[in-house]
């Protein structure tokens, strides 16, 4: 029985995988913001016979302190993690620049900073597994440059959440590189996974404008994968993990890391900048 931790597991891909892993007899810990969705998922897990193999932890993963608290809670519950699945993301479209109470741009905080903290802070528990795997559900293959002088896009005008998410994907690419390099003496495998267009509620209801929402739903119905189909590559990774420390996929197609991440040499730079940002709020933060 594997121990699986899913950040962002009450909706979409994360939820679908949580239920599938419960069916498979695994021990599943789901982290999510909504207590109501967490309770609904607990009831679904119980119906599948997973009452004693499911745990929901409520947290706002856009806050540094919440990520640190969750790491402590999980560490008190289990002695190893076999799979860490990073799915937490807000797809709601916005033209407004918004910050968390920590002072970080919301998408930067949830889509990148949380994944950074959880990846590194759970590394010791991952090392205790015979075949540890981290799957970062992001968007490897997104083209564009990293805004080194403005990582949170504070000065990007006009700002919109799509730009922030795409920029976050490029940051996650370098997170994967840095993590893989730091884990060279371990057997932890790190996968950057782009599921493509998926028919999740978050994606199809990202826009408030009625006409745009209708158009998006139609387009996703045509080009989007059903959630049940979109998770197939992840299930394959779990059963047959890649041999390399870092790999990238778009759906079930393996991507060339050298082409996807052309600035791999910048991973250490991003690592140090990220640590500086976190330590401004939590001075005793360290990566394991």
């Amino acid at each position: 029985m594997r121990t699986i931790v899913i950040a962002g597991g009450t909706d979409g891909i994360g939820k679908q995988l949580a239920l599938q892993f419960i069916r498979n007899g695994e021990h599943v810990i789901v982290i999510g913001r909504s207590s109501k969705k967490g309770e609904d998922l607990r009831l679904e897990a119980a119906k599948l016979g997973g009452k004693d193999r499911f745990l929901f932890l409520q947290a706002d993963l856009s806050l540094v302190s919440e990520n640190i608290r969750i790491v402590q809670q999980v560490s008190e519950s289990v002695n190893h993690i076999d799979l860490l699945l990073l799915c937490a993301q807000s797809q709601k479209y916005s033209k407004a620049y918004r910050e968390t109470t920590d002072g970080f741009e919301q998408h930067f905080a949830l889509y990148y900073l949380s994944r950074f903290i959880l990846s590194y802070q759970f590394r010791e528990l991952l090392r205790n597994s015979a075949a540890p795997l981290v799957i970062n559900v992001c968007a490897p293959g997104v083209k564009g440059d990293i805004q080194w002088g403005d990582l949170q896009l504070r000065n990007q005008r006009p700002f919109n959440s799509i730009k922030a998410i795409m920029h976050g994907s490029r940051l996650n690419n370098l997170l994967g590189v840095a993590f893989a390099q730091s884990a060279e003496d371990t057997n932890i495998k790190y996968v950057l996974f782009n599921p493509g267009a998926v028919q999740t509620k978050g994606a199809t209801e990202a826009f408030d404008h009625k006409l745009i929402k209708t158009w998006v739903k139609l387009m996703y119905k045509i080009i989007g994968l059903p959630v049940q189909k979109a998770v197939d590559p992840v299930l394959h990774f779990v059963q047959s993990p890649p041999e390399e420390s870092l790999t990238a996929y778009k759906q079930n197609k393996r991507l060339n890391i050298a082409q996807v991440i052309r600035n791999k040499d910048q991973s250490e730079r991003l690592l140090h900048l990220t640590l500086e940002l976190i330590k401004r709020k939590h001075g005793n933060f360290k990566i394991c």
Side-chain angles (χ1 to χ4, degrees):
M1 181 172 65
R2 296 183 180 91
T3 296
I4 297 170
V5 175
I6 305 176
T10 57
D11 287 297
I13 289 176
K15 178 181 179 180
Q16 182 68 30
L17 285 167
L19 293 173
Q20 185 60 55
F21 290 135
I22 287 292
R23 292 187 189 96
N24 294 347
E26 314 290 14
H27 176 208
V28 179
I29 300 174
V30 166
I31 308 162
R33 185 169 186 170
S34 170
S35 297
K36 172 64 166 59
K37 291 180 180 180
E39 175 60 16
D40 290 345
L41 186 56
R42 186 190 67 80
L43 293 175
E44 289 188 65
K47 290 179 181 178
L48 296 173
K51 179 181 179 180
D52 298 327
R53 293 181 287 106
F54 176 83
L55 175 64
F56 172 74
L57 298 176
Q58 189 280 329
D60 180 356
L61 292 177
S62 68
L63 300 177
V64 173
S65 60
E66 287 285 85
N67 284 273
I68 295 173
R69 175 179 65 81
I70 284 298
V71 170
Q72 293 172 340
Q73 279 191 258
V74 173
S75 299
E76 292 169 359
S77 302
V78 300
N79 57 20
H80 73 281
I81 294 174
D82 298 291
L83 170 63
L84 173 60
L85 190 59
L86 304 169
C87 299
Q89 179 185 355
S90 172
Q91 295 179 295
K92 196 70 175 177
Y93 179 77
S94 174
K95 292 182 179 180
Y97 177 91
R98 295 189 177 93
E99 292 186 345
T100 67
T101 55
D102 282 339
F104 298 120
E105 192 277 319
Q106 287 185 345
H107 295 279
F108 175 85
L110 180 61
Y111 190 36
Y112 168 67
L113 209 56
S114 171
R115 294 167 192 237
F116 178 95
I117 295 171
L118 297 180
S119 293
Y120 282 104
Q121 292 294 297
F122 277 137
R123 191 159 58 171
E124 286 301 319
L125 289 177
L126 287 161
R127 282 174 174 160
N128 293 338
S129 168
L133 177 64
V134 180
I135 300 178
N136 186 337
V137 181
C138 49
V142 172
K143 296 180 180 180
D145 298 321
I146 289 177
Q147 303 301 312
W148 290 105
D150 190 16
L151 285 181
Q152 300 180 59
L153 305 186
R154 282 193 173 102
N155 302 314
Q156 300 295 311
R157 296 293 182 270
F159 175 90
N160 70 62
S161 56
I162 294 177
K163 288 182 181 178
I165 291 171
M166 294 300 99
H167 193 252
S169 291
R170 294 190 282 274
L171 298 179
N172 275 304
N173 286 345
L174 290 186
L175 165 58
V177 173
F179 186 92
Q181 290 174 344
S182 66
E184 287 179 348
D185 60 335
T186 74
N187 60 340
I188 303 174
K189 310 302 181 186
Y190 203 103
V191 177
L192 298 166
F193 176 60
N194 183 348
V198 183
Q199 297 169 4
T200 63
K201 184 176 181 180
T204 57
E205 297 189 1
F207 295 87
D208 291 326
H209 192 285
K210 187 175 181 179
L211 289 178
I212 296 178
K213 182 184 291 188
T214 300
W215 180 82
V216 169
K217 285 184 177 180
L218 176 61
M219 288 302 298
Y220 268 77
K221 188 174 182 179
I222 296 171
I223 67 171
L225 285 175
V227 181
Q228 296 88 339
K229 184 70 175 177
V231 303
D232 285 348
V234 175
L235 298 173
H236 175 74
F237 301 148
V238 175
Q239 294 302 319
S240 302
E243 294 183 2
E244 294 82 355
S245 58
L246 176 65
T247 51
Y249 290 82
K250 183 171 184 180
Q251 297 175 343
N252 59 1
K253 179 183 178 181
R254 184 162 174 171
L255 304 176
N256 185 319
I257 288 289
Q259 294 179 352
V260 169
I261 312 175
R262 298 183 181 276
N263 55 348
K264 289 195 294 184
D265 57 325
Q266 300 280 15
S267 63
E268 284 294 315
R269 179 183 181 185
L270 181 60
L271 172 64
H272 293 304
L273 288 174
T274 305
L275 285 173
E276 288 177 7
L277 287 172
I278 296 173
K279 287 179 179 179
R280 291 176 189 173
K281 297 295 178 181
H282 295 267
N284 59 348
F285 179 85
K286 295 180 181 179
I287 59 175
C288 299

